[in-house]
């Protein structure tokens, strides 16, 4: 059963704490993405990775960090530098076409809701 | 800079009352326009991809159309289960991630 899994579903962060959100996919997709969703704001890109051991900053990367050590996994760490982390976090992936271009369609996981205590 | 604007922000319909959602975009070379459906507390679900002006795609009560400046998602005789937020996104030329609009929140009342 192919798809994207995110864990945990809910995550609580104490002030000054770093927390890591998990994203795993078994679709054999090369590209993976992290978005943040706030009410009325739509989806905003945090980081994306086109290939293992490489990633690029999106529009709102400050206060976040990522790694891409395996094709299947793209964890996101919300650091203590992110002062307003409360949001719904979505991971997505897409395949790579012959010639190196992305398959256009991005598929999403179920999301993780991060709350601050 | 690529931009996507969706209207209206929210739409309330009676069951069976057809209507349309709008997605206006500005991109430097459109490589695809995407529609997603998102239920509360869940990840977006892919609906359609449109590539060129004049293209149309249908799925059940939904029909997506594309012009050079905007896309419409037409909902024919909606049912309460069509209630969701509908997201529009574009990909411009090059290997760039999707750029999303803020969505239209649709409520269909029985």
């Amino acid at each position: 059963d192919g798809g994207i899994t995110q864990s945990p579903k809910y995550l609580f962060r104490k002030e000054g704490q770093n927390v890591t959100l998990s994203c795993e996919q078994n679709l054999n997709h090369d590209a993976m993405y992290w978005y943040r969703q706030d009410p009325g704001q739509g989806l905003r890109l945090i980081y994306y990775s086109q290939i293992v051991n490489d990633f690029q900053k999106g529009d709102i990367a400050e206060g976040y960090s990522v790694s891409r050590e395996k094709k299947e996994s793209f964890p996101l760490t919300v650091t203590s530098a992110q002062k307003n982390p409360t949001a719904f976090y979505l991971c997505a992936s897409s395949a790579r076409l012959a010639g190196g271009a992305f398959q256009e369609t991005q598929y999403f996981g179920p999301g993780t809701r991060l709350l601050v205590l | 800079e690529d931009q996507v604007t969706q209207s209206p922000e929210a739409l309330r319909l009676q069951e069976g009352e057809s209507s349309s959602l709008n997605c206006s975009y500005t991109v430097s070379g459109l490589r695809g326009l995407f529609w997603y459906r998102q239920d509360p507390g869940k990840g977006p679900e892919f609906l359609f991809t449109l590539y060129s002006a004049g293209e149309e795609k249908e799925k059940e009560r939904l029909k997506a159309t594309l012009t050079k400046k905007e896309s419409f998602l037409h909902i024919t005789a909606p049912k309460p289960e069509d209630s969701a937020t509908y997201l529009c996104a574009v990909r411009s030329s090059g290997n760039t991630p999707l750029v999303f609009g803020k969505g239209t929140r649709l409520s269909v009342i029985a």
Side-chain angles (χ1 to χ4, degrees), chain A residues 8 11-14 16-22 63-65 75-80 85 89 112 114-116:
Chain A
L11 185 59
F12 297 91
R13 191 191 93 164
K14 295 179 180 179
Q17 185 182 41
N18 292 352
V19 292
T20 297
L21 285 62
S22 170
Y64 300 96
S65 65
L76 173 74
T77 296
V78 183
T79 74
S80 58
Y89 290 86
T112 292
L114 177 60
L115 301 166
V116 177

Side-chain angles (χ1 to χ4, degrees), chain B residues 18-90:
Chain B
S18 300
S19 187
S20 296
L21 282 56
N22 178 264
C23 172
S24 299
Y25 63 90
T26 54
V27 295
S28 55
L30 182 70
R31 287 194 58 191
L33 185 140
F34 303 80
W35 283 99
Y36 288 83
R37 169 192 171 128
Q38 186 177 24
D39 293 303
K42 297 189 176 181
E45 174 190 348
F46 170 70
L47 293 173
F48 305 109
T49 308
L50 301 167
Y51 293 101
S52 58
E55 188 175 0
E56 300 181 351
K57 289 192 176 175
E58 290 188 64
K59 180 180 180 179
E60 297 180 354
R61 294 175 293 282
L62 300 176
K63 179 180 177 180
T65 62
L66 181 65
T67 72
K68 289 186 178 180
K69 294 183 178 181
E70 58 192 348
S71 176
F72 292 94
L73 185 65
H74 307 277
I75 302 175
T76 302
K79 299 182 178 182
E81 53 262 42
D82 294 322
S83 298
T85 295
Y86 290 85
L87 299 169
C88 174
V90 297

Side-chain angles (χ1 to χ4, degrees), chain A:
Chain A
D1 191 19
I4 303 172
T5 58
Q6 292 186 242
S7 63
K9 186 173 182 178
Y10 296 96
L11 185 59
F12 297 91
R13 191 191 93 164
K14 295 179 180 179
E15 195 165 338
Q17 185 182 41
N18 292 352
V19 292
T20 297
L21 285 62
S22 170
C23 178
E24 303 275 335
Q25 54 96 3
N26 61 4
L27 300 168
N28 199 34
H29 284 174
D30 289 284
M32 297 186 74
Y33 315 81
W34 275 106
Y35 289 89
R36 169 178 171 145
Q37 188 174 36
D38 297 277
Q41 291 289 324
L43 273 67
R44 293 184 290 170
L45 183 66
I46 304 173
Y47 270 97
Y48 66 104
S49 169
Q50 301 180 11
I51 197 168
V52 174
N53 293 322
D54 187 45
F55 48 83
Q56 288 77 41
K57 292 182 179 180
D59 301 320
I60 56 165
E62 185 174 350
Y64 300 96
S65 65
V66 294
S67 63
R68 188 84 187 278
E69 297 177 1
K70 298 187 299 181
K71 185 176 183 177
E72 304 79 19
S73 178
F74 191 39
L76 173 74
T77 296
V78 183
T79 74
S80 58
Q82 173 50 246
K83 298 306 179 187
N84 184 23
T86 298
F88 190 49
Y89 290 86
L90 288 160
C91 178
S93 70
S94 64
R96 181 188 294 271
L97 301 172
F102 286 138
Q103 181 191 42
E104 287 84 2
T105 303
Q106 291 179 193
Y107 297 91
F108 284 84
T112 292
R113 187 165 299 280
L114 177 60
L115 301 166
V116 177
L117 294 177

